[in-house]
Amino acid sequence: LDEQPFVCEMTLIEQTMAFCKTFTATKQTKATEEKKETEHTNPEGSQVLIRKEDREEEFFFVPTAKKKNKSKNTGAKAEGSTKPIKHNAVTFKLFDDLKLDAPITTDDIPGLLEKLEEQLESYNVKVKKWSEKREEMKRRILEDGILPDEEEKKEAEVEAEVEVEAEAEAEKKE
C-alpha cells in the first residue's frame, strides 16, 4: 500500500522531457552567449594586434569581383534551420513505450513536450486518486484486519467451491 503506482511511467516521462529539452536548450544558450572584452595590461610602447575580422580593410586597389561561393546550396539553410536528431534503438523503444513518435527534427520537440506534459498530468491525477483510495483501504484494514484484495479473493474461492459442489451433486443425480 505504501508503494506509489506509476513511478516507472512518470520517471520515464520526466527523463524523456529532459532528453528533449537538451535539444531546445542548445538554441537558447547560443543566442544568449555574449562576447567578453579582453583587457590588455601591456608595458608602454607595445602594441596589441586586433583580430583580422575586426580590422578595417585597407586595399591598394578596390576589388571589383566578389568571391565565388563554393557551396552548391546557396541560401538553402536559414539561421533557425532544423537539425535532424540521431536516435538509437533504445530511444526508439522508449518513445514506443510512451506510445509517441520519436522526434525526427528539432522542430518536432515543442509538440512532443506538450504531449509528454499531458501524459505526466494524467499520471499525476491517477496517483492522486490512488492516494485517496489508499487512505480508505488503510482504514478498512485497521477496522476489519483484512486487505480488500484478500477479501475479494476469499469470496471468489468460496464461489468456486460452491460451483464445484453443485457440479458434483448434478453428476450424482445423473
Side-chain angles (χ1 to χ4, degrees):
L1 287 177
D2 292 334
E3 292 183 21
Q4 180 181 353
F6 310 113
V7 173
C8 294
E9 291 87 352
M10 291 174 67
T11 54
L12 178 63
I13 291 172
E14 290 169 354
Q15 289 172 348
T16 308
M17 289 173 70
F19 171 75
C20 291
K21 286 179 182 177
T22 59
F23 293 109
T24 58
T26 56
K27 290 182 183 178
Q28 295 170 354
T29 55
K30 287 181 182 176
T32 59
E33 190 175 314
E34 295 179 9
K35 294 182 180 179
K36 295 181 181 179
E37 292 294 324
T38 310
E39 291 187 25
H40 300 287
T41 55
N42 296 333
E44 282 186 42
S46 62
Q47 288 185 338
V48 177
L49 293 175
I50 300 174
R51 293 188 313 184
K52 196 169 188 177
E53 297 91 36
D54 297 340
R55 294 182 201 163
E56 293 178 17
E57 297 183 18
E58 296 179 14
F59 297 106
F60 292 110
F61 60 94
V62 178
T64 55
K66 293 187 175 184
K67 294 181 180 179
K68 292 184 179 179
N69 200 354
K70 292 183 179 180
S71 69
K72 294 179 183 177
N73 299 336
T74 53
K77 290 187 178 180
E79 272 186 42
S81 66
T82 62
K83 294 181 181 178
I85 300 172
K86 294 181 181 179
H87 293 286
N88 56 19
V90 175
T91 55
F92 280 121
K93 184 185 180 311
L94 294 177
F95 281 105
D96 188 47
D97 290 344
L98 293 171
K99 297 180 180 118
L100 295 171
D101 294 329
I104 305 301
T105 62
T106 53
D107 281 346
D108 300 339
I109 291 178
L112 182 69
L113 284 173
E114 291 175 6
K115 292 178 183 177
L116 287 169
E117 288 171 357
E118 290 172 7
Q119 281 187 355
L120 186 63
E121 186 63 33
S122 70
Y123 280 117
N124 284 334
V125 169
K126 289 178 183 179
V127 168
K128 187 176 180 181
K129 288 180 183 177
W130 170 82
S131 64
E132 293 169 358
K133 187 177 176 183
R134 181 183 69 173
E135 296 301 323
E136 175 66 24
M137 290 172 67
K138 281 185 178 180
R139 185 186 59 76
R140 286 181 66 189
I141 290 171
L142 292 175
E143 289 175 0
D144 302 336
I146 299 174
L147 287 173
D149 294 338
E150 290 177 4
E151 191 175 289
E152 292 172 7
K153 288 178 184 177
K154 286 182 180 178
E155 289 175 6
E157 288 175 3
V158 169
E159 289 176 11
E161 288 177 11
V162 170
E163 288 177 15
V164 169
E165 290 175 5
E167 289 177 8
E169 287 179 20
E171 288 179 9
K172 287 182 183 177
K173 289 181 182 179
E174 292 178 358

